[in-house]
Amino acid sequence: MRVAVSRDKCIAAGHCAVRADQVFDQGDDDGIVVLLDENPGEAQAQAVRSAAEFCPAQAIQIED
């Protein structure tokens, strides 16, 4: 799995950081998504897919 984020689209809702905190974080100053791991393992796959599904800005892209 390969994950990418669009910081320009991000609205700092924080759903990604809540659902997959080992893969996503939020910037301290602006709350915009920070990608911690662009190639998460299988153990994180479901959480990453959930984060992408619930992102209100559609700012997360996944390649399997």
Side-chain angles (χ1 to χ4, degrees), residues 5-60:
V5 295
S6 175
R7 291 180 50 84
D8 292 339
K9 286 184 175 181
C10 181
I11 61 169
H15 296 291
C16 58
V18 170
R19 293 178 188 280
D21 63 351
Q22 294 183 5
V23 179
F24 305 103
D25 198 358
Q26 290 182 274
D28 291 333
D29 295 334
D30 56 9
I32 299 297
V33 64
V34 174
L35 184 60
L36 302 175
D37 184 356
E38 70 179 39
N39 293 19
E42 190 60 34
Q44 294 297 318
Q46 183 60 33
V48 171
R49 285 186 178 92
S50 177
E53 179 182 345
F54 286 95
C55 177
Q58 302 289 308
I60 300 170

